Amino acid sequence: MWKELKKNQLVKYGAVATVTTISYVLLRKWVAGGICRSCVKLHGKTVVVTGANTGIGKETARDMAMRGARVILACRNLTRGESAAAEIRSSTGNCNVIVRQLDLASLGSVRQFSQEFLATETRLDILINNAGIMLCPKILTVDGYESQLAVNHLGHFLLTNLLLDMLKASSPSRVVNVSSIAHQGGKIHFDDLNFDKKRYNPVTAYKQSKLANLLFSRELARRTKGTGVTSYSLHPGVIRTELWRFSQSKYPTLSAALSAPAWLLMKTPRQGAQTTIYCAVTEGLEDKSGCYFSDCQVKDPSPEGRDDLAALRLWGVSTELVGLKKNS
């Protein structure tokens, strides 16, 4: 009788373990989302990836290197950038992976990077505006702008415009802008971009910057129509990367308590890079310029993300803030 009871318990525990394992696998597969299945090679092409020393930027750069591209890791921290580049060279066998310093919080750094790039490179086929910060306390950059708007939008806006002529000369070429589902409910506070008048909220500021990414990509597509340059924005998914560092430092106990369930519900950096890669290399996307993607599919952005008048106004305001000529 004891043996029979023990046997039944083992069967019960085995069934529970099996169901748990299957559920875990299905959950992780659902969380992973879409996969870029393009086999396109990029030999002879040049790709710039901002924020490529960690997270989805690093995985995106690795994929570009595996496809044979010359990959430029545009990173603020050169030491970490060199470490990432060495790892990518080793894992892909592509030695044509280099690092250049780019601090998107400094418009001067963006201009210096662009000047050096134009002086030393002969083409630019894919520009991936990936770098970003999230939910940080209110910090003003050296240029006097709120840091999330400056790093996530203004730096990339200036970078893209300074490299636009080379993108056109290298056409067909692409600009890929990493936005976020956080653009939903966002607003461009044209009368108070720095939150000087109203109380600063890191979530509100982040939403503003991610909406700016989407509107910039949309307006860029309109302005480059017929030039061979196409533009795409995307939501990469919720990913376990260093982007969470500010919230983790502010709420360490909560972050520790939620780390296990969060791991189950977040994409890995490799999974999170798939939509970026999809927009960068998938053939036949030219007629989707200006569109917003998620899980390797076109998705409708929120109404705020379809506001072409706001996109046009943002372009004009951004042009003034970064010091570009009015006709840019």
Side-chain angles (χ1 to χ4, degrees), residues 166-187:
M166 183 171 281
L167 282 162
K168 290 177 180 178
S170 307
S171 65
S173 55
R174 298 184 181 188
V175 179
V176 180
N177 301 289
V178 178
S179 180
S180 168
I181 196 173
H183 80 274
Q184 296 181 359
K187 177 184 176 182

Side-chain angles (χ1 to χ4, degrees), residues 57-188:
K58 181 178 176 181
E59 292 304 321
T60 300
R62 189 194 310 275
D63 184 275
M64 299 296 107
M66 288 184 67
R67 295 173 187 271
R70 172 174 171 78
V71 184
I72 297 173
L73 280 57
C75 305
R76 180 178 60 84
N77 188 315
L78 282 179
T79 301
R80 298 186 65 185
E82 290 292 355
S83 176
E87 182 185 327
I88 292 171
R89 292 186 206 108
S90 176
S91 64
T92 64
N94 184 345
C95 295
N96 209 359
V97 178
I98 65 172
V99 181
R100 288 205 172 126
Q101 189 165 36
L102 172 64
D103 182 358
L104 289 160
S106 165
L107 297 178
S109 176
V110 175
R111 290 182 182 279
Q112 182 176 354
F113 172 91
S114 301
Q115 183 178 1
E116 292 177 357
F117 181 90
L118 294 173
T120 57
E121 301 294 329
T122 59
R123 62 182 304 114
L124 175 57
D125 301 274
I126 304 171
L127 171 60
I128 300 177
N129 292 323
N130 163 82
I133 56 176
M134 182 176 76
L135 305 181
C136 56
K138 185 174 182 180
I139 303 170
L140 297 183
T141 66
V142 293
D143 303 293
Y145 303 131
E146 188 275 318
S147 58
Q148 293 190 87
L149 182 69
V151 173
N152 297 351
H153 168 61
L154 291 176
H156 284 128
F157 176 85
L158 178 59
L159 177 68
T160 304
N161 274 281
L162 292 177
L163 300 181
L164 193 52
D165 284 344
M166 183 171 281
L167 282 162
K168 290 177 180 178
S170 307
S171 65
S173 55
R174 298 184 181 188
V175 179
V176 180
N177 301 289
V178 178
S179 180
S180 168
I181 196 173
H183 80 274
Q184 296 181 359
K187 177 184 176 182
I188 306 298

